[in-house]
Amino acid sequence: MKFGVDRREATSSSADAVAVGVFEVEGKDDRLPPSLALADKASGGLLAAAWKRREVRGKKRELTVLHRPDGRGRILLVGLGARPQFTPDTVRRAAADVVRSLRAKGARTLAYQLGSFVDGIVTAPFAARALADGSILGAYEFLRYRTSTEGGVEEASVHLGEERSAEERSLTADVAEQTIIAENVLWTRDIANLPADTATPERLAEEARALGKSLGLKVTVFDEKQLAKMGCGGLVAVGGGSSHPPRLVILEYPGGTRRGRTVAVVGKGITFDSGGISLKPGPRMAEMKFDKSGAVAVLGIVRAAATLKVAPRVIGVMCCAENLPSGTAYRPGDVVRTYNQKTIEILNTDAEGRVVLADGLGYVVDQFHPDEVIDLATLTGAQVVALGDDMAGLVSTDDRLAGGLLAASAATGEPVWRMPLTDYHREMVKSELADVRNSTELTVAGMLTASAFLETFVGKTPWAHIDMAGVSWVNPVTRKYQPSYQSLGATGFGVRLITRYLQDLGRS
Ligand code: BES
Ligand code: MN
Ligand code: ZN
């Protein structure tokens, strides 16, 4: 979708649809709010009449379509709820609802009346960004395997009108930046949505190479032979059961300033997680093609960071393997030695994410001495049980880093909740046979014992772990409870969050 800024009034544009935000009004006042005067005029008085009938109430998710008597198209009124609860996320969700509702409805162009989405803390720049974000994300569909499409909005603009035409320059820059970020999310979704027969570890490595080429970034790919030589026993073990061998991929973005921080971003890239010899049950196993979402997010983050030229240096690490049972698969009882020479007692081959991350984390800390490490992983079912599928878990040993991520979360609307990590969890991953074990006797606090395991491989470097098991994809059932900007399949979670974190790191 093309998304831009237009200085004219939305109602005087020739767009197929004009979208206007409507706040919920308390009490019995049935006079049309002055903010809706222009829309009413364009509707030839239909809006005022509908308002009087209490057909339009401004309730959240309420959509009303009025057809313009001048034949120029339609006016779409979208409810924003009550003003005191109004946030940028309200706008993001409303824009996605608008774009969704226009799918297969013959509307190719869309004009937003910016002023109607501005109130209180939601200033014009926030509103404009949220409209771009919600529209672009909400219009996404994974079309690769579909032979017919219904068509929807292709071009949308934020219309400033007389009131805000002076801000055109800065708003245009805001919208342009948000458009780049949202497009990177779609790019990420397109790869994360590929099924495991296509998105093999080799393929993910190829995607990284192609990205490096197009952006002029250094990309290093280690294949299974090199991994074995380097001592990456975790990746070799987990990938051993598949005919698609494992890959460790390193992407280097040099940073926009000379003495910026170095941030390592490490992703879990299990292209399919059958559980291995500790086989998962059948129902919903198909969804385990999304178990690579962390590593694919790393690709999208590096792409966004390089495109936006963020200040910090970014080292992207993708730990890619396919977890399958076979005669060459790793087994419960095996002991694996990782890159940093630490040993893991394998008790459950389905706890494979932490085993591949052990190598990626150990490698990047040893080779790049980053100032901080952030890992993204669809790591535990326990995360979904604890926090649901609209919020990721954050575990960090560093309050500054955690605070920065929480601030980026608030700014982007990608929800993250911080969870504790204590010696209680560390005790549970100790092994009598090796340094650590990959699953515990007690099944309590699974997200946190997994974090304690990962911490072992990071050492003293400030570190944050994001368990995004629940938020990385939506299925037809979970989608009902998700905002419209999360389309079916991969969500691209983490790209907006971490890109924002990296941008802010340069500003402070
Ligand atoms: N990829 C899964 C985690 C997962 C489960 C993600 C459900 C999304 C939805 C991970 O590899 C896994 O299987 N974890 C196990 C760990 C256990 C065996 C210690 C789990 O959470 O059950
Ligand atoms: Mn697993
Ligand atoms: Zn997994």
Side-chain angles (χ1 to χ4, degrees):
M1 176 191 293
K2 264 184 67 181
F3 200 101
V5 171
D6 194 312
R7 44 188 314 155
R8 290 172 299 172
E9 296 291 350
T11 44
S12 49
S13 81
S14 56
D16 300 328
V18 174
V20 178
V22 182
F23 288 101
E24 195 174 343
V25 181
E26 307 271 327
K28 287 224 159 62
D29 190 356
D30 58 5
R31 282 168 308 172
L32 190 74
S35 56
L36 297 178
L38 274 177
D40 181 49
K41 201 169 151 220
S43 78
L46 285 176
L47 174 50
W51 187 269
K52 199 154 193 173
R53 284 197 301 273
R54 305 201 142 226
E55 190 182 322
V56 180
R57 307 297 303 276
K59 293 222 179 293
K60 258 190 193 163
R61 308 210 75 166
E62 174 191 272
L63 285 167
T64 311
V65 185
L66 299 174
H67 295 275
R68 296 172 65 152
D70 63 7
R72 280 216 238 171
R74 69 205 93 170
I75 296 170
L76 228 161
L77 301 154
V78 56
L80 301 174
R83 287 182 195 264
Q85 281 87 43
F86 186 56
T87 68
D89 202 49
T90 316
V91 181
R92 190 178 295 112
R93 288 168 186 244
D97 280 342
V98 165
V99 162
R100 278 284 177 91
S101 77
L102 290 172
R103 202 176 272 171
K105 287 270 196 302
R108 213 187 54 76
T109 53
L110 167 65
Y112 285 106
Q113 186 185 69
L114 178 61
S116 66
F117 296 94
V118 174
D119 188 64
I121 56 164
V122 187
T123 57
F126 282 116
R129 278 175 175 266
L131 287 170
D133 213 25
S135 303
I136 295 168
L137 298 178
Y140 175 82
E141 283 183 284
F142 182 55
L143 293 173
R144 190 181 158 103
Y145 301 106
R146 286 248 293 269
T147 51
S148 66
T149 66
E150 297 169 320
V153 174
E154 289 164 20
E155 266 179 62
S157 315
V158 167
H159 286 254
L160 310 183
E162 232 177 280
E163 210 186 335
R164 294 210 153 66
S165 56
E167 297 165 62
E168 186 179 4
R169 236 172 194 242
S170 65
L171 288 173
T172 302
D174 281 322
V175 163
E177 183 180 281
Q178 197 58 48
T179 302
I180 291 174
I181 294 170
E183 277 171 351
N184 274 288
V185 176
L186 305 195
W187 183 86
T188 305
R189 286 182 185 175
D190 266 339
I191 298 177
N193 273 322
L194 294 173
D197 62 338
T198 307
T200 59
E202 302 103 304
R203 168 69 181 266
L204 293 183
E206 272 167 39
E207 293 288 346
R209 274 216 178 93
L211 179 66
K213 207 163 184 193
S214 75
L215 293 173
L217 304 179
K218 182 173 175 197
V219 173
T220 313
V221 176
F222 297 110
D223 66 19
E224 72 277 20
K225 286 189 195 115
Q226 291 164 305
L227 289 171
K229 253 194 218 152
M230 288 156 67
C232 289
L235 277 156
V236 170
V238 173
S242 171
S243 59
H244 297 290
R247 295 286 183 268
L248 179 67
V249 182
I250 316 290
L251 302 105
E252 299 175 46
Y253 162 69
T257 52
R258 259 171 171 263
R259 287 177 302 130
R261 295 170 75 83
T262 297
V263 182
V265 188
V266 183
K268 167 177 172 180
I270 299 299
T271 58
F272 187 71
D273 181 14
S274 70
I277 299 291
S278 313
L279 194 65
K280 282 185 184 296
R284 295 183 53 184
M285 199 202 277
E287 292 184 14
M288 284 301 141
K289 65 181 170 184
F290 297 115
D291 209 21
K292 61 186 179 298
S293 297
V296 181
V298 166
L299 265 186
I301 291 160
V302 170
R303 188 174 187 264
T307 309
L308 297 168
K309 301 189 167 56
V310 302
R313 175 178 178 229
V314 182
I315 310 299
V317 179
M318 302 161 68
C319 308
C320 305
E322 185 174 36
N323 188 21
L324 291 182
S326 82
T328 57
Y330 80 138
R331 325 153 184 76
D334 286 357
V335 177
V336 162
R337 191 179 295 275
T338 64
Y339 175 83
N340 61 9
Q341 296 302 307
K342 285 205 184 340
T343 52
I344 303 171
E345 180 184 9
I346 303 297
L347 289 172
N348 188 327
T349 62
D350 196 13
E352 83 298 335
R354 62 197 77 183
V355 179
V356 297
L357 287 169
D359 280 329
L361 291 167
Y363 180 83
V364 79
V365 168
D366 177 61
Q367 292 289 314
F368 292 91
H369 308 291
D371 296 296
E372 54 197 76
V373 181
I374 302 167
D375 77 73
L376 298 162
T378 51
L379 203 63
T380 65
Q383 185 277 320
V384 196
V385 173
L387 293 171
D389 52 28
D390 78 328
M391 189 178 279
L394 165 67
V395 172
S396 181
T397 48
D398 187 271
D399 288 342
R400 189 211 53 81
L401 175 53
L405 289 167
L406 290 171
S409 168
T412 55
E414 289 208 296
V416 169
W417 198 263
R418 190 171 179 185
M419 303 293 275
L421 177 59
T422 69
D423 286 346
Y424 170 71
H425 311 112
R426 294 181 180 105
E427 199 57 43
M428 279 203 263
V429 292
K430 285 188 182 153
S431 163
E432 310 231 13
L433 181 65
D435 294 323
V436 283
R437 56 181 169 193
N438 81 332
S439 94
T440 51
E441 292 162 306
L442 283 174
T443 54
V444 299
M447 167 172 31
L448 310 177
T449 52
S451 305
F453 178 101
L454 295 180
E455 185 191 25
T456 319
F457 298 89
V458 183
K460 295 217 162 3
T461 309
W463 160 73
H465 160 60
I466 294 175
D467 192 334
M468 47 187 245
V471 290
S472 292
W473 67 89
V474 296
N475 66 38
V477 179
T478 59
R479 182 166 60 154
K480 287 191 213 155
Y481 305 97
Q482 295 284 337
S484 299
Y485 58 75
Q486 306 290 41
S487 35
L488 197 62
T491 59
F493 185 94
V495 174
R496 290 187 295 134
L497 174 76
I498 305 298
T499 302
R500 177 62 187 243
Y501 173 76
L502 294 169
Q503 288 183 296
D504 288 350
L505 208 52
R507 285 178 195 132
S508 54

